[in-house]
Amino acid sequence: MATYAVDVSDLEALSAVVDKIENDLGAIEHVFACAGVARVGPTLSVPRSDVELMTRVNYGGVVNLVYAVLPRMIERHRGEFAVVASLTGIVAPHKMAAYGATKAAVIGFLESLRYEIDGTGVKLACVCPEAVKTPMATDFFENPNKRGRALKTAITPRQVVATTEKGLARGRFLVLPGPVSKGMWRVQRLLPGLTRALQSIPCLSVWDETGGRCTPLR
């Protein structure tokens, strides 16, 4: 296994690493993009610099990776390109405005792109998970007790990857890896008013102070 470190928000550096990977290992045929940062809390309390950071990494990083890799796949008429967005890009939870907006931007960008690459031989998938058991949980829950409770109901990275692989194999664009993401996607499409009502329940807030068992949106 080889590891290559790069700042995804730097297109020039990212393109150079992509060149090196293909020189060292051969053509890139499969991408699973999962770079992101989260800064959450009451919207106007999140520093503007943090909003810029999330925009630069969560959205800009995806755009850069697409520019660096996708043309190569299209030229070769083959490849699988999966990007992890978030359920928060579909259902906007309170106190995660900027983070959710970057994920919504990713979804919109990829959804438009999918039509442009149709017939090129490249498969594109947008993955929108709920809470996932990763170190990023620290960004969502500063309180270790709340973090522990949330992670009990979170899905695993293995589940996300396995569901993504199945989705790519079946030619699906939108991949919903867990029961919460599947359920909330349906509710948002069919009963948007219910989504709004659910968001008013304190237990769905990442900054909930009730101490109850919550299933947060990722």
Side-chain angles (χ1 to χ4, degrees), residues 21 58 98 122 164 170 184:
I21 290 172
N58 299 359
V122 179
T164 301
R170 296 172 182 173
M184 291 301 294

Side-chain angles (χ1 to χ4, degrees), residues 125-174:
C126 179
V127 189
C128 293
E130 58 221 58
V132 183
K133 294 179 182 178
T134 70
M136 197 176 185
T138 304
D139 294 332
F140 292 105
F141 299 92
E142 293 182 346
N143 185 304
N145 294 325
K146 295 177 185 177
R147 189 186 314 139
R149 287 194 298 269
L151 290 178
K152 286 180 181 179
T153 58
I155 59 178
T156 67
R158 187 179 295 274
Q159 286 175 273
V160 176
V161 173
T163 307
T164 301
E165 295 298 322
K166 290 180 181 177
L168 284 167
R170 296 172 182 173
R172 292 179 179 171
F173 169 71
L174 183 63

Side-chain angles (χ1 to χ4, degrees), residues 37-41 43 46 51 54-55 58-59 85-108 128 136 140 217-218:
V37 293
R39 301 291 185 268
V40 301
T43 300
V46 177
V51 175
M54 287 186 283
T55 303
N58 299 359
Y59 175 63
S86 170
L87 178 58
T88 62
I90 298 174
V91 181
H94 49 277
K95 299 183 182 179
M96 295 180 70
Y99 177 81
T102 63
K103 297 301 184 175
V106 168
I107 295 170
C128 293
M136 197 176 185
F140 292 105
L217 302 179
R218 184 177 184 277

Side-chain angles (χ1 to χ4, degrees), residues 1-215:
M1 179 181 294
T3 301
Y4 300 81
V6 67
D7 179 357
V8 296
S9 69
D10 185 335
L11 177 58
E12 184 177 349
L14 181 58
S15 298
V17 165
V18 169
D19 284 336
K20 181 169 177 53
I21 290 172
E22 294 209 331
N23 288 334
D24 293 350
L25 305 175
I28 295 174
E29 296 189 355
H30 190 97
V31 169
F32 184 82
C34 190
V37 293
R39 301 291 185 268
V40 301
T43 300
L44 299 181
S45 73
V46 177
R48 183 64 182 81
S49 58
D50 284 349
V51 175
E52 171 61 26
L53 173 65
M54 287 186 283
T55 303
R56 192 170 68 249
V57 175
N58 299 359
Y59 175 63
V62 170
V63 174
N64 287 344
L65 191 60
V66 166
Y67 272 72
V69 178
L70 199 63
R72 302 166 189 250
M73 290 183 167
I74 293 173
E75 184 177 356
R76 294 189 285 260
H77 303 290
R78 69 181 186 277
E80 295 180 329
F81 200 108
V83 177
V84 176
S86 170
L87 178 58
T88 62
I90 298 174
V91 181
H94 49 277
K95 299 183 182 179
M96 295 180 70
Y99 177 81
T102 63
K103 297 301 184 175
V106 168
I107 295 170
F109 178 75
L110 296 176
E111 191 161 15
S112 180
L113 185 62
R114 70 185 287 211
Y115 302 118
E116 298 179 36
I117 67 170
D118 187 39
T120 64
V122 179
K123 295 181 179 180
L124 181 66
C126 179
V127 189
C128 293
E130 58 221 58
V132 183
K133 294 179 182 178
T134 70
M136 197 176 185
T138 304
D139 294 332
F140 292 105
F141 299 92
E142 293 182 346
N143 185 304
N145 294 325
K146 295 177 185 177
R147 189 186 314 139
R149 287 194 298 269
L151 290 178
K152 286 180 181 179
T153 58
I155 59 178
T156 67
R158 187 179 295 274
Q159 286 175 273
V160 176
V161 173
T163 307
T164 301
E165 295 298 322
K166 290 180 181 177
L168 284 167
R170 296 172 182 173
R172 292 179 179 171
F173 169 71
L174 183 63
V175 177
L176 303 166
V180 173
S181 58
K182 289 183 176 69
M184 291 301 294
W185 176 76
R186 290 187 177 91
V187 169
Q188 177 69 3
R189 280 174 58 87
L190 301 175
L191 299 167
L194 179 58
T195 301
R196 196 174 304 111
L198 288 172
Q199 288 299 321
S200 69
I201 299 174
C203 192
L204 289 180
S205 169
V206 286
W207 296 99
D208 168 51
E209 297 297 334
T210 65
R213 184 177 179 180
C214 300
T215 303

